Amino acid sequence: MPRRSRFQLPGRLPRLPRWAHRLGASAMIGGQAISAIARGRISFNDLMQELMEAGPASFLIVLITALAAGTVFNIQVVAELSKQGANAAVGGLLALGLSREIAPLLTATLLTGKVATAYAAELGTMKVTEQIDAITMLRTDPVEYLVVPRVLAMVIMAPVQCLLFFWVGIWSGQTSSTLLYNIPPSVFWTSVRTWMQPDDLPSMLVKAVVFGLQISVLACGWGLTTRGGPKEVGTSTTGAVVMILVTVALMDALLTKLLFG
């Protein structure tokens, strides 16, 4: 009789599609990881490696996208506000747009493409090549060994990346406003200070933390529930990305209502 993988849900819900079973398994894996983190079961050597993957190794793509997003958004805003003679409000609108929506959502999308795909592919490959079974036979918990460092790294680095995106986007918006539309920097930054609320940045970081946890748990869950041969690793990675993007969009709507509604 074939042995059931610990990362597969029991066959009590046969009518559910496979993605629903994997979503449930991911939630279980995430709960185990959070429990292990709360108990201090963390390998700091593995954590440092994952912090490098989720942080410095991803800074460049976040930097470039933030430069483009801040400039393009600002051009669109100035083009409309100039018709109303309200150029002085450009900085405030850009700051609100970045902090409340653009920075956390685009950062989550970038980390999904850069980091989550690596998580799902690595763990999926280990699963189909039976390395996960070997780790279990060595009396090592795969969740503590493989999932905990990845989840903790994303929870730490997602808000850092989001804050980097925000400040680079604001700076690029100010630079483009001054160079292209002759808006004085003092007017731009005064507008930023006037429009932004004290809780905008903390709320942005809350979104980033939730998205980081969500991305890492789903990526690891999809990787650990991969089954079949090496060909399934690519399918599993694609499925993880799709599920992450869908659930992040839904979570973003919920958090926006709770934090800013």
Side-chain angles (χ1 to χ4, degrees):
M1 181 178 180
R3 185 164 64 91
R4 185 184 300 276
S5 170
R6 61 177 294 173
F7 301 111
Q8 296 175 7
L9 292 179
R12 294 175 296 176
L13 301 173
R15 295 184 180 180
L16 290 178
R18 188 179 176 216
W19 66 262
H21 286 267
R22 300 182 84 174
L23 190 61
S26 299
M28 294 171 59
I29 292 169
Q32 294 175 29
I34 293 173
S35 176
I37 292 171
R39 290 182 283 114
R41 305 297 296 271
I42 304 168
S43 172
F44 289 97
N45 289 333
D46 294 333
L47 176 60
M48 291 304 299
Q49 294 179 8
E50 298 304 332
L51 285 172
M52 292 298 295
E53 175 67 25
S58 305
F59 278 166
L60 182 59
I61 187 173
V62 172
L63 179 66
I64 294 173
T65 306
L67 284 170
T71 301
V72 172
F73 182 88
N74 205 49
I75 290 173
Q76 295 287 350
V77 169
V78 174
E80 295 301 321
L81 291 182
S82 61
K83 301 176 183 178
Q84 311 297 328
N87 286 355
V90 169
L93 287 175
L94 176 62
L96 287 183
L98 284 172
S99 63
R100 295 188 176 188
E101 196 65 32
I102 297 175
L105 195 57
L106 276 185
T107 301
T109 303
L110 294 172
L111 291 178
T112 298
K114 178 66 171 62
V115 183
T117 51
Y119 288 178
E122 290 168 3
L123 297 183
T125 301
M126 295 180 70
K127 179 65 176 177
V128 300
T129 56
E130 300 183 349
Q131 295 181 55
I132 303 294
D133 295 333
I135 291 173
T136 304
M137 291 178 64
L138 293 173
R139 297 181 181 274
T140 300
D141 186 349
V143 173
E144 292 183 6
Y145 182 63
L146 299 172
V147 178
V148 166
R150 289 171 167 82
V151 169
L152 193 55
M154 281 292 287
V155 169
I156 293 172
M157 294 309 303
V160 174
Q161 299 272 36
C162 184
L163 198 58
L164 172 68
F165 192 107
F166 173 78
W167 286 117
V168 172
I170 285 288
W171 176 82
S172 67
Q174 184 268 306
T175 302
S176 62
S177 296
T178 301
L179 295 179
L180 301 178
Y181 300 101
N182 298 319
I183 297 177
S186 59
V187 173
F188 183 94
W189 292 113
T190 299
S191 177
V192 171
R193 291 191 295 270
T194 302
W195 283 62
M196 287 197 69
Q197 300 298 317
D199 59 347
D200 282 339
L201 285 182
S203 298
M204 179 188 74
L205 297 180
V206 168
K207 273 192 173 186
V209 169
V210 173
F211 292 161
L213 177 63
Q214 191 173 344
I215 291 167
S216 57
V217 167
L218 290 176
C220 293
W222 249 251
L224 291 175
T225 54
T226 303
R227 61 189 182 193
K231 182 180 179 181
E232 294 300 318
V233 174
T235 302
S236 186
T237 303
T238 302
V241 170
V242 172
M243 182 56 64
I244 289 170
L245 293 178
V246 170
T247 54
V248 163
L250 295 175
M251 182 61 70
D252 179 60
L254 176 61
L255 290 176
T256 298
K257 176 62 177 178
L258 293 176
L259 296 173
F260 306 110

